Amino acid sequence: DSGVTQTPKHLITATGQRVTLRCSPRSGDLSVYWYQQSLDQGLQFLIQYYNGEERAKGNILERFSAQQFPDLHSELNLSSLELGDSALYFCASSVGTWGENTIYFGEGSWLTVV
Amino acid sequence: AQKITQTQPGMFVQEKEAVTLDCTYDTSDPSYGLFWYKQPSSGEMIFLIYQGSYDQQNATEGRYSLNFQKARKSANLVISASQLGDSAMYFCAMREVDRGSTLGRLYFGRGTQLTVWP
């Protein structure tokens, strides 16, 4: 158990809908990352938050947004869903943003868009 | 350019044997971290081992060791005494320290599917 909690574990929804994925980081970790894993794209970095503020943005679509709340949990909002958004979405956390810290991943949220 | 290259899409090893999974990386930063993760078929991403760019010795964690060759920009994972439960996808990743907006993110390779047979 990495200590990073993601909900829901599985989600099936229709095209055009909106979903929210939730992440609770490990106790004491201030930095949260979101990654998308699909067969064709591999592991893609979406966005990073540190102590409530956005720190880095990767290949995140405009239809997607995220935030980190004062209690450090984070949510990834996916809207106007398309079939191609079907993927495994990971949340990860680490203590800080500097490079030497280990990054621990949650178990992922499997999203299927039908 | 690819930050992390894993050239072996699949590897096979017999139980109790050792196996090396290859990883090369590309960075011009002097300070970085190298990671290996294991992803079983159930999907979770499990941290295995970490090597810092300034670490003098190769990292070891139980049956896992990281063969770090800085000049060659190589960070191969060695699994000793393979077990059936080691069958999984293995990802090499790098984290740069001193880049501005990319500070903290992990760059992943495409992974190597390891199959351990009895």
Side-chain angles (χ1 to χ4, degrees):
Chain A
D1 183 3
S2 68
V4 180
T5 304
Q6 287 188 248
T7 57
K9 286 188 169 41
H10 298 272
L11 190 57
I12 302 174
T13 190
T15 54
Q17 295 297 305
R18 172 189 169 97
V19 299
T20 297
L21 309 180
R22 194 179 191 278
C23 170
S24 293
R26 293 191 326 149
S27 177
D29 286 358
L30 300 178
S31 200
V32 169
Y33 312 78
W34 286 97
Y35 285 82
Q36 178 195 58
Q37 185 180 29
S38 60
L39 281 174
D40 54 343
Q41 297 288 329
L43 275 154
Q44 296 286 315
F45 168 70
L46 296 179
I47 198 163
Q48 177 199 0
Y49 283 84
Y50 176 74
N51 204 19
E53 293 188 2
E54 182 184 306
R55 282 300 299 260
K57 191 176 271 193
N59 303 323
I60 188 166
L61 300 172
E62 285 191 10
R63 299 183 285 108
F64 296 179
S65 64
Q67 54 182 328
Q68 185 180 27
F69 295 87
D71 67 352
L72 301 178
H73 92 271
S74 178
E75 292 181 356
L76 178 67
N77 300 297
L78 315 175
S79 61
S80 302
L81 285 166
E82 302 174 358
L83 296 177
D85 297 327
S86 295
L88 178 57
Y89 290 84
F90 282 110
C91 170
S93 74
S94 71
V95 172
T97 59
W98 48 95
E100 282 76 18
N101 295 115
T102 300
I103 301 179
Y104 289 94
F105 283 73
E107 294 186 351
S109 292
W110 290 91
L111 173 66
T112 302
V113 183
V114 298
Chain B
Q2 287 278 12
K3 292 277 189 181
I4 296 288
T5 302
Q6 295 181 254
T7 57
Q8 307 155 315
M11 287 286 285
F12 294 84
V13 66
Q14 191 171 22
E15 203 177 4
K16 300 179 186 176
E17 297 295 311
V19 63
T20 298
L21 306 184
D22 294 342
C23 173
T24 57
Y25 59 92
D26 181 28
T27 182
S28 56
D29 284 344
S31 185
Y32 51 90
L34 297 158
F35 302 77
W36 278 91
Y37 288 87
K38 171 185 178 182
Q39 187 176 36
S41 57
S42 52
E44 69 265 36
M45 193 71 74
I46 302 166
F47 166 75
L48 294 178
I49 196 166
Y50 166 82
Q51 177 86 42
S53 58
Y54 293 117
D55 294 343
Q56 295 297 314
Q57 294 192 329
N58 287 341
T60 59
E61 289 285 349
R63 295 185 300 110
Y64 304 108
S65 61
L66 200 152
N67 184 0
F68 181 46
Q69 298 186 44
K70 198 169 183 176
R72 297 181 59 188
K73 293 189 175 178
S74 164
N76 298 338
L77 177 70
V78 180
I79 305 175
S80 62
S82 296
Q83 302 172 356
L84 296 178
D86 293 335
S87 293
M89 182 72 85
Y90 288 80
F91 290 96
C92 179
M94 178 180 67
R95 186 180 190 186
E96 293 169 325
V97 179
D98 298 322
R99 296 289 176 108
S101 64
T102 59
L103 182 71
R105 59 165 291 185
L106 284 174
Y107 297 89
F108 282 90
R110 296 289 292 187
T112 296
Q113 179 68 46
L114 176 67
T115 302
V116 181
W117 50 284

